Amino acid sequence: MGKVKTLDDLRKLKDELKSKTSLRDKSEHPESMVQIKVAMATCCIASGSRETINYLADELEKRNIEAVVTQTGCMGYCYAEPTIEVTLPGKEPIIFGYVDEKKADEIIEKYIRNGELVEGIIPMNYKNIEDTTK
Amino acid sequence: MKEIALHILDIAQNSVNAGAGEISIEVWKNEKDNRTGFRVRDNGKGMDLETLNRLNDPFFTTGNKKTGLGIPLLRQHAEAAGGILHVESEINKGTLIRAEFELDHLDRQPMGDVLSTLISLLRAYPEREWLFSYQVNDREYSFNTRDIKTELDGLPVSHPRVIRFIRDMLQENMDALSK
């Protein structure tokens, strides 16, 4: 077994990362990136949202997609957990339900990469006639 | 909840929602005492007496829904496995929640993936300070984000490479304790 990682190793990693000019703090320009919120209340956690958030964060990095992945409370769609809200730059947010790892993979490849809608959308963006005539 | 580690995530989420800037998570396993469990302590807004008295009511919540299942479920799981749930809280000081289970109890849930729980919290709330202690019998490994942030010198804790580093470091140290 190799040596267990220590804070000294972290210092080396920091020097390496800081020397890369492409590095920037994502939180400075979140609107220019894909933003994903994963619901993480009790109902969501019991349904697997921990695996969903970790999968999304790992896979987006592996696939070189600049994104900010954060958590939010229960969005009220407990029947469809795990739920996530995805906002592509310049677009309205869309909520997807039943997002396990397989569905998360499909959302990354189809919606995030190509803007193609996939099954499992929760229609929270629906506007009624009063809204549209205001 | 299928794992104790998911309860830890749920309780830690409550700490975040209570506005805690520092959250400490301790997980232990003691074969001699036949006990395992965890403790989450925060410096959030705390709970008043009325809230504390209603913690076991699954239809009471401070959230925006009609149910508050986290604590009642945890208490039920702890007591079903020969354990206890202990809650202390003081307004504007914080909250401490300790859950204990009998280690070899047939009805005890598995501890599960504690590491995955910690990583999801670090990813989502890198601005908070997280303290983590993992104890196996009389051996302990501890970790805190203050030390990490000092080393990082402004680089975000939630940077994917940093998260991967922390995950590997925690995994190696936790494995070493379990051997």
Side-chain angles (χ1 to χ4, degrees):
Chain A
M1 194 185 113
K3 183 175 147 288
V4 173
K5 285 187 177 58
T6 64
L7 290 180
D8 282 340
D9 300 314
L10 181 62
R11 212 169 294 133
K12 286 176 204 150
L13 174 66
K14 176 205 71 180
D15 293 340
E16 183 200 327
L17 292 176
K18 282 211 160 179
S19 68
K20 290 186 180 169
T21 50
S22 63
L23 182 70
R24 60 198 166 107
D25 187 348
K26 289 180 178 180
S27 59
E28 284 175 14
H29 308 282
E31 67 288 343
S32 65
M33 299 182 180
V34 178
Q35 293 178 66
I36 302 178
K37 289 181 187 166
V38 181
M40 293 286 277
T42 306
C43 50
C44 326
I45 292 169
S47 302
S49 59
R50 183 188 63 185
E51 282 65 35
T52 303
I53 191 172
N54 284 331
Y55 180 84
L56 281 166
D58 288 339
E59 289 301 314
L60 289 163
E61 187 215 352
K62 277 185 206 160
R63 301 179 200 191
N64 287 321
I65 297 171
E66 294 240 322
V68 182
V69 182
T70 56
Q71 299 188 16
T72 184
C74 175
M75 293 193 263
Y77 309 108
C78 307
Y79 64 93
E81 296 296 347
T83 53
I84 68 170
E85 181 189 279
V86 182
T87 311
L88 300 184
K91 294 204 171 170
E92 290 276 309
I94 287 188
I95 295 181
F96 295 91
Y98 305 105
V99 185
D100 57 10
E101 292 182 358
K102 194 174 164 213
K103 177 58 77 178
D105 174 58
E106 190 185 3
I107 291 168
I108 293 173
E109 284 307 312
K110 292 190 176 167
Y111 183 61
I112 295 177
R113 272 203 203 278
N114 300 319
E116 181 187 333
L117 294 174
V118 297
E119 270 187 41
I121 292 172
I122 297 175
M124 56 82 73
N125 296 342
Y126 173 80
K127 288 183 177 153
N128 63 27
I129 190 111
E130 284 85 13
D131 293 329
T132 53
T133 52
K134 269 178 196 168
Chain B
M1 300 283 184
K2 291 176 187 155
E3 305 171 6
I4 295 172
L6 290 176
H7 282 296
I8 298 174
L9 178 56
D10 190 32
I11 299 294
Q13 285 283 143
N14 292 347
S15 295
V16 169
N17 294 338
E22 183 178 292
I23 299 148
S24 152
I25 298 173
E26 288 173 44
V27 177
W28 67 85
K29 179 171 93 168
N30 191 320
E31 285 159 340
K32 195 174 137 207
D33 296 343
N34 192 29
R35 306 295 271 182
T36 187
F38 71 88
R39 185 170 79 165
V40 177
R41 185 166 46 186
D42 69 54
N43 62 354
K45 65 183 179 183
M47 291 179 274
D48 59 21
L49 200 57
E50 192 203 343
T51 307
L52 271 173
N53 285 337
R54 299 191 67 184
L55 271 187
N56 297 321
D57 179 353
F59 298 104
F60 173 75
T61 179
T62 54
N64 55 3
K65 299 193 298 170
K66 289 181 179 167
T67 55
L69 292 170
I71 295 279
L73 277 176
L74 176 56
R75 184 181 296 277
Q76 190 181 39
H77 288 152
E79 290 176 355
I84 54 152
L85 180 72
H86 174 77
V87 182
E88 281 175 39
S89 192
E90 203 175 327
I91 285 285
N92 297 327
K93 291 225 166 142
T95 298
L96 181 153
I97 292 189
R98 181 166 56 89
E100 270 192 30
F101 309 79
E102 248 175 50
L103 186 59
D104 66 0
H105 200 290
L106 281 176
D107 293 327
R108 181 178 65 80
Q109 295 172 302
M111 181 53 79
D113 195 346
V114 175
L115 189 55
S116 181
T117 286
L118 289 173
I119 292 299
S120 65
L121 289 166
L122 284 179
R123 274 189 163 130
Y125 307 107
E127 74 289 358
R128 317 277 167 137
E129 297 301 343
W130 296 92
L131 292 82
F132 172 60
S133 157
Y134 186 67
Q135 298 150 35
V136 178
N137 298 323
D138 55 352
R139 303 171 74 198
E140 179 182 3
Y141 170 71
S142 61
F143 159 91
N144 75 75
T145 47
R146 277 206 183 86
D147 290 346
I148 296 281
K149 286 175 186 171
T150 303
E151 295 299 339
L152 287 174
D153 189 24
L155 192 69
V157 173
S158 54
H159 186 284
R161 289 280 306 275
V162 175
I163 286 285
R164 207 185 314 153
F165 176 90
I166 293 172
R167 178 158 53 192
D168 290 347
M169 183 174 74
L170 288 172
Q171 182 76 67
E172 288 166 0
N173 281 287
M174 288 163 75
D175 286 350
L177 275 196
S178 301
K179 277 181 183 162

